[in-house]
Amino acid sequence: MGDRDRDGILWVRNPSYPGHGKAEFGKVNSLRQRRAMRRLLCQVCGGPADQDDNGVLWVLKDHRGDWPGWPNGMGVTEPPICLTCLRIAVRACPALRKGHAVIRARQYPIVGIAGAHYAPGTPFPQPMAHVVLAFDHPDIPWTLAANLVRELGDCAIVDSSDVAGAD
């Protein structure tokens, strides 16, 4: 097996020990993240994410002040979530406890990757920055991808009291 996928993207290697270990917030296993993003699986339990006529459910750090219309047009590396795990996530995740928003998105195409960009160097490539890149970006060959990115669109911020099982 090569280090690059069929599209030429170099992915971080992660060991896989399903059912072992504990959650490390902010350190999502790359393989699990990609699977959850591709299949719209819950970021916590790995079951199907909640989806209804209003869209797929996400819980994100609250950045409503970042731009008008947030989160429309936002690239996310966080997979969606199911109703059962929503309550758990907002209580257990330190970042979400500081402020979160519950989102329904009707559009959520996979648009790119997030990872570490490198520049050519001697004797080894030199790490430059964490980047989010579209699939057609010329720096893809010099990026060690860790996450798939979906772009949220046609979003509604949902009152968590209107979502069953949420606080």
Side-chain angles (χ1 to χ4, degrees), residues 40-73:
L40 293 174
L41 301 177
C42 175
Q43 61 178 281
V44 177
C45 71
D50 187 71
Q51 188 168 4
D52 64 17
D53 292 341
N54 296 313
V56 175
L57 190 68
W58 262 269
V59 61
L60 305 169
K61 292 186 282 185
D62 193 343
H63 290 287
R64 285 178 242 208
D66 285 2
W67 70 82
W70 180 91
N72 284 295

Side-chain angles (χ1 to χ4, degrees), residues 33-44:
Q33 188 270 355
R34 287 188 310 193
R35 181 176 182 269
M37 288 295 259
R38 283 189 183 120
R39 298 181 181 180
L40 293 174
L41 301 177
C42 175
Q43 61 178 281
V44 177

Side-chain angles (χ1 to χ4, degrees), residues 14-17 27-34 146-147:
N14 289 120
S16 180
Y17 305 109
K27 293 182 180 180
V28 177
N29 180 289
S30 177
L31 291 171
R32 185 173 182 204
Q33 188 270 355
R34 287 188 310 193
N147 302 112

Side-chain angles (χ1 to χ4, degrees), residues 103-119:
I103 310 295
R104 289 269 184 199
R106 288 191 175 114
Q107 298 173 7
Y108 36 83
I110 296 174
V111 295
I113 60 163
H117 174 64
Y118 286 78

Side-chain angles (χ1 to χ4, degrees), residues 73-134:
M74 181 175 155
V76 295
T77 58
E78 298 87 350
I81 196 159
C82 72
L83 289 174
T84 302
C85 293
L86 178 59
R87 171 181 250 148
I88 296 165
V90 298
R91 288 187 179 159
C93 177
L96 295 177
R97 283 196 308 255
K98 293 177 184 177
H100 65 277
V102 180
I103 310 295
R104 289 269 184 199
R106 288 191 175 114
Q107 298 173 7
Y108 36 83
I110 296 174
V111 295
I113 60 163
H117 174 64
Y118 286 78
T122 303
F124 303 107
Q126 300 298 308
M128 301 300 288
H130 180 81
V131 294
V132 175
L133 301 175

